[in-house]
Amino acid sequence: MNKVKDLQEEKVICSGVDALPSSIQLPCISIHKATWERKSVQERRAEILLSLGTLAQDVRSARTLSQPGCGLTLLKRLEHSINNYLYVVRLLHVEGEQEGPAVERCLGQPSKDLGLVLKYFGLLLTGKLELLIAEMAKWC
């Protein structure tokens, strides 16, 4: 399901697609192990949902400002991939879940560099999301 490597390869093929028409807020990918472990699974899930939702919204905005061509196709595929992860994470059943917990908004830096956006998206998936899934797998 992780299509980031495919998107990165496609970006290399698309010449001149590095600069986006608008900034995209990069997701927070750093994990302070002790802080992460103190959070409930619900809080971790909410944090990932917030990051993915913000990323999807910003990619959608950049896509609407893009010219037709390779870059637009790449942004469409990226948005589709992000939305797939949003859907899956929303469907994850978290034991004892009630109303969604309040999450501190972690603001990453804004960037117009598509390569950096793809890198941070990949790191969000292989970092926080994989840790969440590993924690939830213990329940099975």
Side-chain angles (χ1 to χ4, degrees), residues 61-82:
S61 295
R63 183 181 51 80
T64 61
L65 298 172
S66 292
Q67 298 297 317
C70 187
L72 179 61
T73 301
L74 189 57
L75 286 173
K76 285 180 182 177
R77 288 187 59 212
L78 175 58
E79 182 182 2
H80 182 75
S81 183
I82 295 166

Side-chain angles (χ1 to χ4, degrees), residues 5-134:
K5 288 199 185 316
D6 294 342
L7 294 171
Q8 288 171 329
E9 289 172 8
E10 187 176 327
K11 183 190 137 321
V12 171
I13 296 168
C14 292
S15 58
V17 186
D18 288 330
L20 294 166
S22 63
S23 291
I24 292 179
Q25 197 78 35
L26 299 174
C28 292
I29 56 169
S30 62
I31 300 170
H32 182 263
K33 190 152 175 66
T35 304
W36 180 259
E37 289 175 352
R38 279 195 302 269
K39 292 179 181 182
S40 69
V41 174
Q42 294 90 344
E43 290 171 314
R44 296 175 199 173
R45 178 175 169 257
E47 185 176 319
I48 294 166
L49 283 171
L50 182 60
S51 291
L52 287 170
T54 301
L55 191 58
Q57 179 181 333
D58 287 355
V59 168
R60 188 175 312 108
S61 295
R63 183 181 51 80
T64 61
L65 298 172
S66 292
Q67 298 297 317
C70 187
L72 179 61
T73 301
L74 189 57
L75 286 173
K76 285 180 182 177
R77 288 187 59 212
L78 175 58
E79 182 182 2
H80 182 75
S81 183
I82 295 166
N83 285 329
N84 282 342
Y85 280 101
L86 266 169
Y87 180 74
V88 169
V89 175
R90 281 186 186 125
L91 289 179
L92 291 175
H93 174 71
V94 177
E95 199 170 289
E97 185 172 38
Q98 299 163 1
E99 187 68 28
V103 176
E104 286 185 35
R105 185 176 178 94
C106 177
L107 298 175
Q109 65 188 36
S111 179
K112 286 187 172 187
D113 181 340
L114 180 57
L116 199 56
V117 171
L118 291 172
K119 176 183 176 182
Y120 272 65
F121 177 47
L123 290 171
L124 177 66
L125 300 179
T126 60
K128 290 182 179 181
L129 185 57
E130 281 188 9
L131 286 172
L132 176 67
I133 299 301

